[in-house]
Amino acid sequence: MFEQNLSNILGQLEQDGLKRELRDTQSAQGSRIQFEGREVLNFCSNNYLGLANDSRLGQSIVESIQTEGFGSAASRLVCGNMPSHCALEEWMAKFKGTEASLMYSSGYMANVGIISSLFGKDDIIFSDRLNHASIIDGIRLSGATLKRYRHLDMEHLEQLLESTSGLRHRCIITDSVFSMDGDVAPLDKIVELSGHYDCQVMIDEAHAFGVMGDLGQGCAHHFGVQDRIDIQMGTFSKAAGSFGAYVCTTKLIRDFLVNRSRSFIYTTGLPPLIAAASLKAGKIIEEDQSLRNKLWDNTYYMRAGLRLAGFDTLRSSTPIIPVLIPDSQVCVEFSKRLFDQGILVSAIRPPTVPKGTSRLRLTVMAPHTKTDLDLTLNRFQSIGKELGVI
Ligand SMILES: *Cc1c(COP(=O)(O)O)cnc(C)c1O
């Protein structure tokens, strides 16, 4: 009965062409990878700066393992709080200009643990409709009332702020760079509204850390509003090429999270060598402007080329470039044809994105060469014509 039910659900997914399977990458990450038995140009990863296979990160791991070993053997609150964890947190707070910083084992755990501990059933959370699943799950777990506003729609957000008053606290939570659309939350407007309506602001910089801001600090710095955002969360798993997550905030909030955030407390500390690799990545991000310059040159080049060819890239203004192909079957066929020609681009369909907005989702990387990009643009144009997309 139980298994029959699971099997029915999977069967339905299969019938709808929505069943998902794991596919194999057989090389280290990079702009070219070995995928399902062939070499492809990679436009799928979040490894924006190419740091996921950088030997400098490897070197810092080797140095850490010699003194700190591998596992951290306990929750950080017991005896698993090791030198590399502390060094990373100290450095992050300085880099972001906040009083304090705290690491989590992943971005997912960070959002769930931060939101569910800081907010409760007497609170209201205003959340962009396209926020990441981990934010939604954190809100659900918190028991707070969820008010979703239309994507990037500040008028709608203001209406909701005006028409509600929390029994206790209110908080606006938003991705800073949106993972499926590659557009950016208007943080300048958001902090204005939070000031006017007296509520907290939390942002998720997963796709912004290492990418946005003069030194890669993220969107808060890009807008110059870092001092007006209460909770800046982000990950080391994307542009930093490592793993784990951070929250940069006040000493008080950090102290509260250490005492109350269940996904921080009831889990083993990350292996310290991961923190050592993240710290190295952070320093490279801060010091090596050339990587970020290359990423942005490639981004502008790719997006301009796609637009010129007649593709709709929505409101993307970051290295995440969606190419709208509303018909999901055509979208999947487009992705298949690209793969046959050695180019890996994922087709994103409902329910990951709203109905009628299927898309190819490209992510540009610093290590892509002009030749890589030209080849890809060329293939996009020919397949786009074959399939009647342009
Ligand atoms: C990837 C992502 C996360 C989750 O981070 P992990 O470290 O992969 O768990 C959270 N929020 C956003 C917006 C993301 O894109």
Side-chain angles (χ1 to χ4, degrees), residues 128-382:
D128 188 289
R129 205 169 80 86
L130 296 191
N131 275 347
H132 191 261
S134 56
I135 296 179
I136 317 274
D137 291 358
I139 298 171
R140 282 194 187 135
L141 195 58
S142 76
T145 300
L146 167 62
K147 296 279 179 192
R148 291 208 302 179
Y149 58 91
R150 288 188 291 270
H151 181 49
L152 305 181
D153 188 336
M154 293 297 105
E155 278 175 27
H156 190 207
L157 172 59
E158 182 158 21
Q159 279 170 17
L160 292 174
L161 284 163
E162 219 159 33
S163 67
T164 54
S165 60
L167 292 173
R168 221 169 50 144
H169 312 301
R170 297 192 297 170
C171 183
I172 304 168
I173 305 183
T174 185
D175 285 15
S176 60
V177 170
F178 286 86
S179 54
M180 292 300 143
D181 288 48
D183 46 13
V184 173
L187 297 182
D188 48 347
K189 304 259 173 50
I190 286 176
V191 298
E192 223 178 276
L193 289 173
S194 75
H196 190 259
Y197 291 95
D198 189 28
C199 59
Q200 312 295 305
V201 180
M202 170 174 169
I203 61 173
D204 177 339
E205 300 257 46
H207 290 278
F209 182 65
V211 172
M212 304 293 290
D214 280 349
L215 302 175
Q217 306 98 317
C219 275
H221 286 73
H222 169 79
F223 283 97
V225 298
Q226 63 273 23
D227 297 334
R228 299 173 66 186
I229 291 174
D230 306 279
I231 301 150
Q232 302 177 46
M233 168 275 175
T235 66
F236 299 111
S237 50
K238 289 171 178 152
S242 178
F243 194 68
Y246 65 82
V247 53
C248 287
T249 184
T250 60
K251 284 203 171 90
L252 177 78
I253 292 179
R254 179 188 194 269
D255 200 20
F256 188 88
L257 294 174
V258 167
N259 281 276
R260 281 292 171 80
S261 184
R262 295 169 66 85
S263 66
F264 175 82
I265 299 169
Y266 297 106
T267 195
T268 300
L270 266 180
L273 54 79
I274 301 286
S278 299
L279 177 55
K280 186 67 193 175
K283 288 179 176 169
I284 294 170
I285 284 169
E286 181 183 31
E287 286 157 17
D288 187 354
Q289 300 294 326
S290 71
L291 279 178
R292 205 161 29 262
N293 291 341
K294 182 85 189 310
L295 172 67
W296 281 100
D297 282 350
N298 284 349
T299 296
Y300 291 131
Y301 189 80
M302 193 67 188
R303 193 169 42 236
L306 287 165
R307 295 183 74 103
L308 196 66
F311 291 103
D312 181 354
T313 59
L314 303 176
R315 283 177 283 191
S316 161
S317 60
T318 69
I320 300 170
I321 309 178
V323 171
L324 188 72
I325 303 177
D327 184 319
S328 10
Q329 273 168 348
V330 177
C331 191
V332 170
E333 180 59 27
F334 205 126
S335 168
K336 271 197 194 124
R337 291 193 192 185
L338 283 167
F339 183 69
D340 289 341
Q341 306 203 26
I343 298 168
L344 188 62
V345 176
S346 47
I348 314 272
R349 295 164 295 170
T352 307
V353 292
K355 270 210 175 94
T357 70
S358 288
R359 68 202 59 189
L360 298 169
R361 175 183 180 272
L362 287 90
T363 48
V364 175
M365 298 172 61
H368 285 136
T369 64
K370 278 272 141 59
T371 315
D372 294 338
L373 301 182
D374 282 332
L375 178 88
T376 304
L377 283 168
N378 189 286
R379 298 288 189 268
F380 257 86
Q381 240 168 331
S382 52

Side-chain angles (χ1 to χ4, degrees), residues 17-30:
L18 292 174
K19 178 136 182 283
R20 313 192 59 169
E21 305 279 354
L22 288 167
R23 299 201 289 163
D24 299 344
T25 297
Q26 294 132 336
S27 65
Q29 292 295 331

Side-chain angles (χ1 to χ4, degrees), residues 23-40:
R23 299 201 289 163
D24 299 344
T25 297
Q26 294 132 336
S27 65
Q29 292 295 331
S31 59
R32 282 169 190 277
I33 55 174
Q34 196 72 24
F35 189 79
E36 295 273 299
R38 63 176 300 176
E39 188 185 291
V40 290

